[in-house]
Amino acid sequence: MNVKFTPFIMLDGQANEAIRFYEQALGAKVVFKQTFGETPEAADASMTEEAKNRIAHSVLIVGGSELFVSDSEPHLRLERGDQVNICITVKEAAEAERLYDALRSDGKVLSPLQSLYFSPAYGMVTDRFGATFQIFTERS
C-alpha cells in the first residue's frame, strides 16, 4: 500500500496571512493557491466578497514535503484544537533554532528548545494561527 500523509492547516479567514508567514518562517514555496471566488461555487450570487477572498486550498512546499493551508468554508464554523501537529525534522541544531524562533513569534511555547535524550535540539510551539509544531533535530 502506497499512502501519503500531508499536514493540513485549516483556518478561519487567516490563510493568506498564514501562507505569507510560512513563506518567511519556513521558507515555504506556494505551488498552488485558489480562493473560494475562483471555484465553480463562486457563481452562487449569495457568496460575499469576503467569502470569495478566503483560501479554498493551497499547497506549499517546505523542503521535500507538502503543507496544505486553507480557510474553512464561509458557512462552516471552525473549531480549534490541537489534536494534529506537525513535526519538522532537521539535521542541524542551528536550523532547529531558526525555525523555532520564527514559529514562536506571537505564538506560544509549549516546550522550550533544548537538548533531550532523543534530540540535540527539540521544542514545541503553537504559532499565532493555532498550528502546533514539534521541532526535532536528528542525532548525527
Side-chain angles (χ1 to χ4, degrees):
M1 174 170 42
N2 185 12
V3 178
K4 179 180 175 182
F5 289 89
T6 304
F8 196 121
I9 299 173
M10 182 75 68
L11 299 167
D12 188 16
Q14 302 92 10
N16 264 320
E17 181 183 353
I19 290 165
R20 287 189 302 275
F21 176 71
Y22 297 136
E23 285 177 306
Q24 185 271 325
L26 302 175
K29 304 291 182 220
V30 178
V31 296
F32 178 80
K33 185 165 78 168
Q34 182 179 48
T35 66
F36 281 99
E38 296 168 328
T39 66
E41 291 83 14
D44 178 0
S46 67
M47 189 180 288
T48 67
E49 283 305 309
E50 186 275 329
K52 288 179 181 179
N53 290 326
R54 291 169 76 98
I55 301 300
H57 189 58
S58 73
V59 179
L60 286 67
I61 302 295
V62 184
S65 301
E66 288 183 337
L67 172 64
F68 295 168
V69 180
S70 78
D71 288 311
S72 59
E73 292 186 40
H75 63 280
L76 296 178
R77 181 172 169 86
L78 182 67
E79 295 292 328
R80 278 190 139 176
D82 53 0
Q83 296 88 350
V84 176
N85 56 74
I86 300 163
C87 182
I88 301 173
T89 302
V90 297
K91 294 188 182 299
E92 302 290 331
E95 180 66 3
E97 186 173 348
R98 185 191 72 73
L99 292 168
Y100 180 85
D101 287 342
L103 289 168
R104 73 181 178 139
S105 174
D106 296 325
K108 177 181 173 186
V109 171
L110 303 176
S111 175
L113 189 68
Q114 59 190 311
S115 177
L116 297 171
Y117 72 93
F118 57 88
S119 174
Y122 174 84
M124 284 182 72
V125 297
T126 298
D127 73 13
R128 65 185 185 214
F129 302 103
T132 298
F133 291 86
Q134 296 181 46
I135 312 299
F136 173 78
T137 308
E138 295 176 337
R139 290 215 174 270
S140 315

